[in-house]
Amino acid sequence: MTSIPRLATLDSTPAFLREGYPWLGNRCRDLGSDMFETRLMGRRVLCMMGEEAARRFYDGKSFSRVGAMPPTTLRLLQDKGSVQALDGAAHAHRKQLFLDLLAGDAPESFADIFERRWRAALPEWRGRGEVTLHEAAVRLLCESALEWCGIAVAERDVPDRAEELAAMVAGAGAVGPKLVRGLWLRRRAERWARDQIDRVRRGRPARPGSPLARIAEFHDLDGGPLTREEAGVELLNLLRPIVAIARFVTFAALALHEHGDAAEWLESGPGEVRERQLAFVQEVRRFYPFFPVIGGRVRSAFEWRGNEFADGDWVLLGLHATNHDARLWPEPHRFDPARFLRWQGSGYDLIPQGAGAYLPDHRCPGEWMTIAVLRRALALLRIMPGHLPEQDLRVPLDRFPTLPNSGVRIAFDR
C-alpha cells in the first residue's frame, strides 16, 4: 500500500505554467513518489507518471476522456462528437475506422507523397535563399494530407488550410491571442470540412476507399451515418495530427544540429541503416517535448496500490515525465538514439502520443504515420544542401506545445 502525497500549496497552476514540461516529473522526484495530489485551476487532480501508471491509465476501462481536458483544449484538438469523446463499444467501433485508414501500407504510402512534395519544393526553397523548416513542414504535410485524403484543393487555398490546422495545435495549450486565433480558425476549418462531407454525400465523385469517402460513408453503431458535424470533426481529426508532425520534423533537424555525436552514429553506427534511422526517430520522439500530460476521468471507482480512486476523479498522466523517467531511460536527459537498438518496447514506456493498445483505448494510431514521415524527413535532412545560420534555437519549456524559438531556419548557398 502506498499513500498519495499532497502538495503543500493552494493551487499548482502558477508553478505548472512557470516550469512547464518538467513540472510533473520534478514534483514526483521531490516527493519520492510517482503519484501526488494537488489542485490545478482550482480543481483537485491526481498526477502520476511511469510505466506502471501508464498501464493503469491505458487499461481500456478505468478512465474516460470525457471532461478530462479544459474545454478550449478539447475544442481545438478533438471537439464534441469525436472518437476521443466516446467510450466503450461506441469508441471501439469509431476507432476501428481510424485504424483501418492508418494501418498497413498507409504510413509508407503517405510518406511517399511527403517525400515527393519535399523534393519538388526544394528548388523553390533554394531560390529564396532560406527557409524556416517548421513553416515549410506544415505546408508540405498539409498538402500531402489533402492529397492522401482525396481532397482536391486549389493551390491558392492551401495556405488557409495549413494555417488553420497549425493554429489548432499551437493554441491547444495556450492562453490569450494564440488561443483566440486557434478557436477562430478552428471554426473556419470546420465549415470547410463539413462542406467537403456535404459534397461527397450530394454525389461529387470521391476516390473509392479514400479517407474522405470512408468518413462520409461511415455508419456508427446505431446504423446511421455520422452527422455532418461529426464527420467534419473526424476529417479534421485526420488532417490536424498529420500537420502536427511538423513539430517532430523540426526537432529532428535540431537533433542533427545539436547532437553531432548522434548524427555521426547515424552515419556509421552498429546495425543496419534502417535500424539506426528508426532508433534516431524514436529518440527524437522521446527526448523532445510534444505534449506534457494527458487527462482522464475515473469511469467507476476502483482501488489501486491501496488507494481509492473515486468515480469522476480527475487524473493527469505525465507523458513528458514518463519519457524522461530514469527508471526506464538511463541518463534520460542525454540524447542517445543507441538506446533504442536494444529497446524492447512495452507500449507503456515510450509514450509521446499515448500508451497501451490502439483499439480498446485512446492511443493515437497516428504514431505509425509519424514514424514513417520522420524516417523520410531524417533522410532528406541529411542530404539537404543547406546549413543552420546563427539563430535562437532555444526550446521554451513553458509553452505547450513548444518549438525552437526560430522554427529552425535553414540557409542555402547561392
Side-chain angles (χ1 to χ4, degrees):
M1 177 175 178
T2 60
S3 178
I4 301 177
R6 181 180 301 174
L7 294 188
T9 182
L10 291 176
D11 195 293
S12 292
T13 305
F16 184 24
L17 295 178
R18 181 176 63 252
E19 292 181 45
Y21 285 87
W23 171 77
L24 193 152
N26 285 347
R27 296 291 81 72
C28 284
R29 183 198 62 221
D30 294 344
L31 294 165
S33 170
D34 54 10
M35 292 192 296
F36 64 90
E37 178 185 334
T38 189
R39 286 186 175 274
L40 287 173
M41 299 176 290
R43 295 187 294 166
R44 176 179 174 270
V45 61
L46 298 171
C47 300
M48 57 186 189
M49 63 170 284
E51 185 173 8
E52 187 179 351
R55 286 185 182 278
R56 187 70 203 213
F57 192 86
Y58 279 95
D59 66 5
K61 59 185 179 182
S62 297
F63 292 93
S64 168
R65 299 297 177 268
V66 178
M69 292 190 291
T72 52
T73 302
L74 174 66
R75 178 88 175 91
L76 286 171
L77 292 186
Q78 296 297 335
D79 214 354
K80 296 178 181 179
S82 74
V83 61
Q84 292 284 31
L86 302 174
D87 288 314
H91 170 263
H93 181 74
R94 185 88 63 86
K95 183 69 169 287
Q96 189 64 55
L97 168 65
F98 286 86
L99 292 173
D100 291 344
L101 291 173
L102 294 166
D105 296 334
E108 290 301 323
S109 296
F110 179 85
D112 287 342
I113 298 171
F114 174 74
E115 180 174 348
R116 169 168 49 81
R117 288 187 172 273
W118 179 303
R119 291 183 181 277
L122 187 55
E124 190 265 332
W125 297 347
R126 296 183 69 175
R128 284 158 45 188
E130 184 176 292
V131 66
T132 298
L133 181 60
H134 181 253
E135 294 175 359
V138 163
R139 172 69 181 260
L140 288 179
L141 286 162
C142 180
E143 292 173 340
S144 302
L146 292 169
E147 178 181 341
W148 175 72
C149 280
I151 302 172
V153 176
E155 184 70 19
R156 66 179 182 276
D157 294 331
V158 172
D160 285 345
R161 303 290 81 83
E163 179 187 26
E164 292 158 0
L165 295 166
M168 293 178 211
V169 179
V175 295
K178 188 177 291 187
L179 171 61
V180 173
R181 180 173 180 271
L183 291 169
W184 175 68
L185 289 173
R186 168 88 195 196
R187 287 193 292 271
R188 193 175 78 180
E190 286 180 341
R191 290 193 296 270
W192 169 83
R194 290 193 296 267
D195 184 58
Q196 299 304 308
I197 298 298
D198 288 343
R199 292 183 183 187
V200 173
R201 289 176 173 177
R202 288 197 300 262
R204 185 186 69 177
R207 190 177 74 238
S210 66
L212 174 61
R214 292 286 302 278
I215 291 172
E217 298 163 359
F218 182 76
H219 284 62
D220 249 336
L221 267 183
D222 61 6
L226 301 179
T227 67
R228 63 192 297 268
E229 289 77 17
E230 290 170 338
V233 164
E234 299 297 27
L235 180 58
L236 293 179
N237 281 340
L238 274 182
L239 297 171
R240 184 199 62 257
I242 291 174
V243 169
I245 299 172
R247 293 176 179 268
F248 281 127
V249 172
T250 307
F251 283 131
L254 184 63
L256 289 172
H257 176 73
E258 290 191 332
H259 303 285
D261 55 342
E264 291 178 9
W265 173 88
L266 186 59
E267 294 285 348
S268 57
E272 298 293 328
V273 173
R274 287 181 60 84
E275 292 175 348
R276 296 197 300 273
Q277 285 179 338
L278 178 58
F280 197 99
V281 163
Q282 296 290 43
E283 182 70 342
V284 167
R285 298 177 64 233
R286 184 200 71 83
F287 183 82
Y288 288 100
F290 192 50
F291 280 92
V293 297
I294 185 73
R297 289 279 184 182
V298 174
R299 294 178 66 177
S300 58
F302 63 88
E303 181 180 302
W304 184 55
R305 299 165 100 186
N307 296 286
E308 296 292 333
F309 287 71
D311 184 21
D313 274 355
W314 184 30
V315 177
L316 293 180
L317 173 68
L319 303 178
H320 184 77
T322 301
N323 287 336
H324 292 79
D325 187 342
R327 297 170 299 179
L328 301 171
W329 313 104
E331 298 183 80
H333 297 288
R334 182 167 67 92
F335 187 86
D336 178 20
R339 73 174 83 237
F340 281 99
L341 290 180
R342 54 187 181 271
W343 178 61
Q344 299 292 323
S346 68
Y348 300 91
D349 47 1
L350 178 65
I351 60 170
Q353 293 169 267
Y358 291 99
L359 181 58
D361 211 336
H362 292 263
R363 185 167 188 161
C364 175
E367 274 188 303
W368 304 322
M369 194 168 286
T370 300
I371 292 168
V373 167
L374 280 177
R375 289 182 71 160
R376 299 295 182 93
L378 184 62
L380 291 163
L381 285 166
R382 289 169 60 203
I383 62 173
M384 197 162 170
H387 66 277
L388 272 62
E390 185 175 346
Q391 58 189 288
D392 185 358
L393 292 170
R394 291 174 299 172
V395 179
L397 295 178
D398 58 352
R399 186 172 71 196
F400 313 124
T402 192
L403 274 174
N405 284 329
S406 66
V408 181
R409 292 173 19 243
I410 300 175
F412 301 93
D413 297 328
R414 292 183 179 273

